[in-house]
Amino acid sequence: MATLLSVNVGMPKNVAWEGRTVYTGIWKSPVDGPRLVRRLNVDGDGQGDLAGHGGEQRAVMVYQKASYEHWAEHFGRTDLEFGNFGENFTVDGLPDDEVYIGDRYRIGEAEFEVTQPRVTCFRVGMRLGEPQMPALLVGHHRPGFYLRVITEGHVQAGEEIVRTRVGPHQLSVADIDALLYLPNRNRAQLRAAVDIPALSPGWQQSFHELLESTDKVAPPVGVEPSWNGFRRFQVADVVNESPSVRSIYLAAENGAALPKATAGQYLTVRVSDAGDPAPVRSYSLSSGPDADTYRISVKREPYGVASSWLHTHLRAGSVIEVAAPRGEFVLTEDTGPILLISAGIGITPVLAMLHELAAARSTREIWWIHVTRNAAQQAFAAEAADLLRKLPNARQYVFYTAPDSDLSDGEFQGRPTAAALARLNLPADACAYICGPDAFMTDIHDDLVKFGVAPERIHTELFGAREAINPGVVDAHRIQPHQPPGPPGTGPQITFARSGLTTRWSEQHRTILELADACEVPTRWSCRTGVCHTCITQLLSGQVKYSPTPLEPPDGESTLICCARPESDVVLDL
């Protein structure tokens, strides 16, 4: 018979960690006597990061005495005490390989249901002073698990734990944990997992996505690059599209046919002659996918090293280095209405989409909405109009923020406010593709949602650094990426392409993620030990090695920066 050995609680607090402050509730301590367990937690307990922990599906965390003994032996430690793993209930019995998702248990006055394994994140390693702990919990099949409260009531240490129902399909906590985090997944188990009503929605979604990915014969569109690293391309032509925008037509240096790109993808170019280190920038393809050259269109920025050089020095016959077309901002398989919305140079990827739709003689309803300063500054006006004429159900709307002539039908003065967009009667069942400045994309996204467009049908393209994901960090602030503090490194050259920063590797950093953090490059992570894949980043060129080795290594075109170290110069889409 299983027994509740300890009830542990603790309120969230700020904890100093590696020069940052983390708000966390992982510090738990045993309490005496009965405690009321409510729908969301135990009285006196709280969770700091409700996105990853807490809530109805994760009200109570359970960990086993046997696992404490395992880790005490593994690390040679004698200081582990109940609550150290952030659990609310320390139990004798209920091993992870014998407890099933959907099992129900009665303890004292309360009844509980098993919903999922522990969320693997860095905080358990922070609490124990063992940074590799998140990976070890998965690798040793000892994650622990969460409970949902079915019946509220009092519980206390010493009470027996009685199983009142066995979960369907009898998939254990250890099975489910391995199914998400480890390779060589069993497809039958995936199908069974999504059929367990008690499994929490987040894990259900992850398993549905894994099932969909295993159904695909080919890799997802827009993911797999056509070649590795950088290739030399020759400039076939240069065309000025407006006073500030120049199009560059690129052909393979050896004259070979180009791999077909997908409308909406981008090229990453390394401009070797523009500086030392050579700046690396990404530019959308503005040509149709069937063109015999790649066309990128570059806006000259006042202080842009790369864009200024491309505008002033590049000529037909020049050679630059180019990485393969990449990006997932591509047209989805759909037959309904489509909104192509852009501002300024953000026109380029949606222009490529318009080329694709025109080439296919699409009969879809198409709304072409563009924002520009005035007609003189409007790049691709004639080209877009010509493409739209080939589409029987297309309509065009242009917003001029500072018009320099009288407005015609379909032209408006000012920015596309919610009121202005509402007058266009945009269809709620449309798929939307938006590209432009961050604030513009955010505003348009929010307005479309208000009009009834489903968020999952709204796609945006971002060329700057992506929004950081740093769970629990409360003093995060976004500043311009910079060289790391301290003496310059002497190792391989690391380029963070989206952030426009190149620096040298130093052995003072354990991983590329730590270097990125030191440079204030926005990063995404959770476990920091190669388990969760939150930090997965496209590796545009170069080689890395891992320490520790990820439980499920990514493909060779991506890397997990939380445990990667450079073996050569590398360029990252970060």
Side-chain angles (χ1 to χ4, degrees), residues 96-97 99-101 114 116-117 143-145 171-178:
D96 289 331
D97 59 356
V99 170
Y100 305 128
I101 303 297
V114 180
Q116 66 172 73
F145 54 90
L171 281 176
S172 73
V173 169
D175 289 335
I176 291 290
D177 199 54

Side-chain angles (χ1 to χ4, degrees), residues 239 241-248 282-286 295-301 307 311 329 341-352 368 370-373 377-380 434-438 440-441 461 463:
V239 175
E241 307 288 357
S242 77
S244 61
V245 176
R246 163 175 280 199
S247 284
I248 301 165
S282 294
Y283 299 104
S284 283
L285 287 159
S286 56
R295 182 180 72 175
I296 59 174
S297 301
V298 180
K299 179 183 178 182
R300 183 171 185 173
E301 302 293 348
S307 67
H311 270 254
F329 183 67
I341 307 175
S342 58
I345 196 60
I347 192 175
T348 52
V350 294
L351 181 64
W368 174 262
H370 182 59
V371 185
T372 185
R373 180 172 175 78
Q377 295 287 332
Q378 184 180 358
F380 307 109
I434 311 168
C435 188
D438 291 357
F440 168 80
M441 292 193 294
E461 177 66 308
F463 285 107

Side-chain angles (χ1 to χ4, degrees), residues 1-6 62-67 69 82 89-95 159-161:
M1 183 71 69
T3 305
L4 178 60
L5 298 179
S6 180
V62 178
Y63 209 54
Q64 306 90 348
K65 175 187 174 185
S67 288
E69 294 168 347
F82 294 161
F89 293 171
T90 314
V91 300
D92 188 7
L94 304 187
E159 291 181 323
E160 292 184 346
I161 304 173

Side-chain angles (χ1 to χ4, degrees), residues 395-431:
R395 62 207 74 187
Q396 175 177 215
Y397 302 101
V398 180
F399 290 79
Y400 294 109
T401 58
D404 55 1
S405 60
D406 293 337
L407 302 178
S408 303
D409 289 343
E411 297 178 343
F412 305 90
Q413 181 172 351
R415 302 182 185 280
T417 62
L421 290 174
R423 290 193 289 270
L424 302 183
N425 295 315
L426 303 177
D429 60 341
C431 274

Side-chain angles (χ1 to χ4, degrees), residues 250-268:
L250 299 168
E253 190 180 30
N254 60 4
L258 299 178
K260 184 176 179 179
T262 302
Q265 289 188 307
Y266 61 88
L267 295 181
T268 300

Side-chain angles (χ1 to χ4, degrees), residues 17 76 88 90 106 132 191 196 217 251 272 381 384 396 462 494:
W17 172 76
N88 299 113
T90 314
R106 177 165 293 280
Q132 304 305 318
R191 285 196 296 266
I196 302 175
V217 176
S272 300
Q396 175 177 215
L462 177 65
I494 312 297

Side-chain angles (χ1 to χ4, degrees), residues 501-522:
L501 178 70
T502 298
T503 189
R504 289 280 179 183
W505 174 257
S506 169
E507 288 299 328
Q508 68 176 309
H509 306 294
R510 289 172 295 186
T511 65
I512 292 175
L513 174 57
E514 287 193 3
L515 172 62
D517 288 343
C519 296
E520 304 285 352
V521 170

Side-chain angles (χ1 to χ4, degrees), residues 341-547:
I341 307 175
S342 58
I345 196 60
I347 192 175
T348 52
V350 294
L351 181 64
M353 294 177 181
L354 192 63
H355 270 281
E356 182 174 305
L357 293 165
R361 295 293 192 268
S362 175
T363 58
R364 296 171 68 176
E365 290 185 87
I366 298 169
W367 272 257
W368 174 262
I369 302 171
H370 182 59
V371 185
T372 185
R373 180 172 175 78
N374 51 48
Q377 295 287 332
Q378 184 180 358
F380 307 109
E383 183 175 331
D386 181 60
L387 293 169
L388 290 164
R389 281 192 290 270
K390 298 176 182 178
L391 294 161
N393 296 311
R395 62 207 74 187
Q396 175 177 215
Y397 302 101
V398 180
F399 290 79
Y400 294 109
T401 58
D404 55 1
S405 60
D406 293 337
L407 302 178
S408 303
D409 289 343
E411 297 178 343
F412 305 90
Q413 181 172 351
R415 302 182 185 280
T417 62
L421 290 174
R423 290 193 289 270
L424 302 183
N425 295 315
L426 303 177
D429 60 341
C431 274
Y433 300 86
I434 311 168
C435 188
D438 291 357
F440 168 80
M441 292 193 294
T442 298
D443 290 344
I444 296 294
H445 176 280
D446 293 346
D447 289 340
L448 293 180
V449 171
K450 291 177 186 175
F451 300 152
V453 180
E456 62 270 17
R457 297 176 70 82
I458 303 174
H459 311 276
T460 58
E461 177 66 308
L462 177 65
F463 285 107
R466 298 182 180 90
E467 182 180 355
I469 298 176
N470 307 154
V473 176
V474 297
D475 55 353
H477 53 282
R478 184 164 180 174
I479 65 175
Q480 186 69 23
H482 55 76
Q483 294 295 325
T490 58
Q493 191 167 272
I494 312 297
T495 297
F496 301 108
R498 286 181 180 266
S499 299
L501 178 70
T502 298
T503 189
R504 289 280 179 183
W505 174 257
S506 169
E507 288 299 328
Q508 68 176 309
H509 306 294
R510 289 172 295 186
T511 65
I512 292 175
L513 174 57
E514 287 193 3
L515 172 62
D517 288 343
C519 296
E520 304 285 352
V521 170
T523 54
R524 298 179 166 198
W525 47 263
S526 180
C527 73
R528 298 181 73 96
T529 57
V531 179
C532 69
H533 283 222
T534 302
C535 73
I536 193 166
T537 301
Q538 285 210 326
L539 183 64
L540 303 183
S541 69
Q543 293 81 40
V544 299
K545 58 184 177 183
Y546 288 112
S547 179

